[in-house]
Amino acid sequence: MMSSPDLDELLSAARDARERAYAPYSNFRVGAALDAGDGNVIVGSNVENASYGLSMCAERSAIFAAVSAGFRDFTAIAIAGPEGVLTSPCGACRQVLAEFNPNMVVVFTASDEAIETTAAELLPHSFGPFV
Ligand code: THU
């Protein structure tokens, strides 16, 4: 069985995914990497659109890609925004993270600072899930 990636490896995968962001409107590139168990790392990046409101965050891109690939049991997500910018997940992404695991570790970093928290801490008293 493959071992779980540690948080540094997840952050590194998030930084790699950030390079693949499509963010020509904001120029704010974000990557995210999920630990989906058994050594599986699923990444996402933000994907913007000329119709700005259709843009998708890196975190939800990662979750939706992972669920579509058959993974649901996420234990951790790392998020990498632009270098030096502490990029924490937006409200919509917090709700989507909490859907799958409120205890999911969430780590985000700027150059010299890293915050490690959980989905539940980022979204207290959250709505649902009811499945
Ligand atoms: N964005 C993310 O991908 N994740 C975050 O945590 C914050 C914001 C994206 C959305 C948009 O494409 C750009 O960053 C600027 O808001």
Side-chain angles (χ1 to χ4, degrees):
M1 187 154 79
M2 290 162 75
S3 62
S4 291
D6 64 24
L7 291 178
D8 283 340
E9 288 171 325
L10 268 192
L11 272 169
S12 172
R15 289 193 185 97
D16 285 348
R18 180 182 63 193
E19 299 308 306
R20 297 187 287 277
Y22 177 73
Y25 303 103
S26 72
N27 213 26
F28 192 95
R29 303 164 77 83
V30 186
L34 278 168
D35 182 342
D38 290 339
N40 292 291
V41 174
I42 311 292
V43 298
S45 56
N46 56 329
V47 180
E48 298 185 344
N49 191 274
S51 178
Y52 294 175
L54 301 183
S55 300
M56 180 53 63
C57 292
E59 297 90 325
R60 276 175 290 157
S61 291
I63 291 269
F64 297 157
V67 172
S68 302
F71 301 101
R72 293 183 184 175
D73 300 324
F74 312 120
T75 57
I77 185 168
I79 301 149
E83 273 315 303
V85 181
L86 195 58
T87 303
S88 85
C90 78
C93 288
R94 293 174 191 211
Q95 182 73 38
V96 171
L97 297 177
E99 176 79 20
F100 290 97
N101 180 8
N103 298 315
M104 188 185 319
V105 171
V106 180
V107 61
F108 45 97
T109 184
S111 316
D112 53 357
E113 192 182 357
I115 305 264
E116 188 180 324
T117 181
T118 65
E121 278 178 354
L122 289 170
L123 193 68
H125 306 292
S126 64
F127 178 73
F130 299 106
V131 288

